Amino acid sequence: MRISARGRYALAATISMATRYDTGDNITVISLSESLGISKIYLEQVFSLLKKAEVVSSQKGAQGGYRLARPPQDISAFEVLWATDLSLFEEVGDTVKDHAPGIEAAMRISVFDAVDSAVKTTLSGVSLKTLADEMKKHRKDQGYMFFI
Amino acid sequence: MRISARGRYALAATISMATRYDTGDNITVISLSESLGISKIYLEQVFSLLKKAEVVSSQKGAQGGYRLARPPQDISAFEVLWATDLSLFEEVGDTVKDHAPGIEAAMRISVFDAVDSAVKTTLSGVSLKTLADEMKKHRKDQGYMFFI
DNA sequence: CTAATACCTAGTGAATCGGTATGCAAAGAA
DNA sequence: TTCTTTGCATACCGATTCACTAGGTATTAG
């Protein structure tokens, strides 16, 4: 499955924000861009989309920045990608002329809609909290990676 | 979900072939392109991919054409799209630098791999036979669309 | 005031997509 | 054999999208 860089950046950034959610601090785009190794200017555009979708809220000015609009367990990967990855949720256009009645409907019902539904269900079942926890399991400096 | 025209053409063409599978006849690209309303030259390229993936077999020369390589109930939508739709099955590249240990792994495990798996399961569960049957239910000239 | 920050709009090079053009290769028909 | 029908291969093209850059404006804490 192709997932755009924009969507992946959004996911990485919001996961990172989820780990710092309880502090209540604003998080700046530049700090995220540095810790993730992503272009700051591009990440700004990603956050513009996340704000429009009400995944994050913002505060302008000095000491400003972004915060998750809701607790991490209430934000799903679906919301983040929906806001940022266009091709993932693009409408499938018509394929054939109506010389072939029924083919269009069959494809739509049994394939396209079925896939869309499966993807949506999968993404909706994963929260930023889940992802942040999963992330902690995989950091290399966690401490329970040792040898006897 | 974005699904490329190439993949949709492949699906439409193989569904159409499935309805004529029992005759054993070769089916020409030009007849399919006309009945589906698709460019013949482009459809040829699609069939080149389907043949490489052994979804169809071919015979050259006069009275030649293509046939499904196996019975329609043994060919899944997954196979057809796998052969023709690149972006659907594209590998997701790395997103973040390793300044952020664990984020990459969390996204991959809980999101990308999960979605890929859901899509594959869904598509594998739909055969060309299923699609051909579904198609027949939806043709407008079926006869059980009447008014009292 | 000043510095830090979000926010807005336009542009750009590369890649991809959908499609065309052209011709060769093979196999059956005449 | 020769002709016609079909598959097969390659190169090319215009439009669109993608990832990203550039350069500004607006707002707010200190």
Side-chain angles (χ1 to χ4, degrees):
Chain A
M1 169 77 50
R2 167 170 171 81
I3 296 187
S4 69
R6 196 161 66 187
R8 278 147 44 210
Y9 291 165
L11 212 46
T14 49
I15 293 171
S16 181
M17 292 171 82
T19 66
R20 292 195 262 162
Y21 178 73
D22 0 318
T23 72
D25 293 341
N26 285 323
I27 303 175
T28 64
V29 167
I30 191 144
S31 74
L32 283 169
S33 82
E34 283 167 0
S35 74
L36 298 175
I38 297 172
S39 150
K40 174 226 166 197
I41 304 181
Y42 193 49
L43 196 55
E44 274 180 350
Q45 297 177 37
V46 176
F47 270 89
S48 160
L49 295 169
L50 289 173
K51 187 187 177 184
K52 202 185 308 173
E54 298 182 330
V55 171
V56 300
S57 61
S58 66
Q59 191 183 349
K60 283 190 179 181
Q63 317 315 319
Y66 289 97
R67 270 174 289 176
L68 293 180
R70 276 160 289 137
Q73 58 268 27
D74 295 345
I75 300 177
S76 66
F78 174 79
E79 288 179 78
V80 174
L81 291 176
W82 171 268
T84 52
D85 195 308
L86 301 185
S87 70
L88 243 182
F89 303 101
E90 191 175 305
E91 279 282 313
V92 176
D94 285 347
T95 300
V96 296
K97 313 278 184 284
D98 48 16
H99 301 77
I103 284 198
E104 192 80 52
M107 291 195 295
R108 201 164 290 273
I109 293 170
S110 299
V111 181
F112 307 150
D113 289 354
V115 170
D116 280 345
S117 169
V119 170
K120 179 166 182 177
T121 300
T122 302
L123 290 176
S124 298
V126 183
S127 74
L128 291 183
K129 173 94 168 51
T130 306
L131 283 161
D133 290 346
E134 183 79 31
M135 165 189 163
K136 286 171 193 156
K137 273 199 272 178
H138 289 276
R139 19 192 353 159
K140 299 190 182 63
D141 58 345
Q142 179 87 18
Y144 53 63
M145 185 191 239
F146 53 86
F147 305 90
I148 306 180
Chain B
M1 168 77 53
R2 169 171 170 81
I3 297 189
S4 68
R6 195 161 67 187
R8 278 145 46 208
Y9 291 165
L11 213 45
T14 50
I15 293 170
S16 182
M17 292 171 82
T19 66
R20 291 195 262 161
Y21 178 72
D22 0 316
T23 71
D25 294 341
N26 286 321
I27 303 175
T28 63
V29 167
I30 190 141
S31 75
L32 283 169
S33 82
E34 282 168 0
S35 74
L36 298 175
I38 298 172
S39 149
K40 175 225 165 198
I41 305 182
Y42 193 51
L43 196 55
E44 275 181 348
Q45 298 176 37
V46 176
F47 270 89
S48 160
L49 295 170
L50 290 174
K51 186 184 177 186
K52 203 186 306 175
E54 297 182 330
V55 171
V56 301
S57 60
S58 66
Q59 192 184 351
K60 284 188 178 181
Q63 319 313 320
Y66 288 96
R67 271 174 290 176
L68 294 180
R70 276 160 290 136
Q73 59 268 29
D74 295 346
I75 300 176
S76 67
F78 174 79
E79 288 179 77
V80 174
L81 291 176
W82 171 266
T84 52
D85 195 307
L86 301 186
S87 70
L88 242 184
F89 303 102
E90 190 176 306
E91 279 284 314
V92 177
D94 285 347
T95 301
V96 296
K97 313 280 185 284
D98 48 17
H99 302 77
I103 285 199
E104 192 80 52
M107 290 195 296
R108 201 165 291 273
I109 293 170
S110 298
V111 181
F112 307 151
D113 289 354
V115 170
D116 280 345
S117 168
V119 170
K120 179 166 181 177
T121 300
T122 302
L123 290 176
S124 297
V126 183
S127 73
L128 291 182
K129 172 91 167 53
T130 304
L131 283 161
D133 290 346
E134 184 77 32
M135 164 190 163
K136 285 171 196 156
K137 272 199 272 176
H138 289 275
R139 18 191 357 155
K140 299 192 181 64
D141 56 345
Q142 179 88 18
Y144 53 62
M145 185 192 240
F146 52 88
F147 304 89
I148 305 182

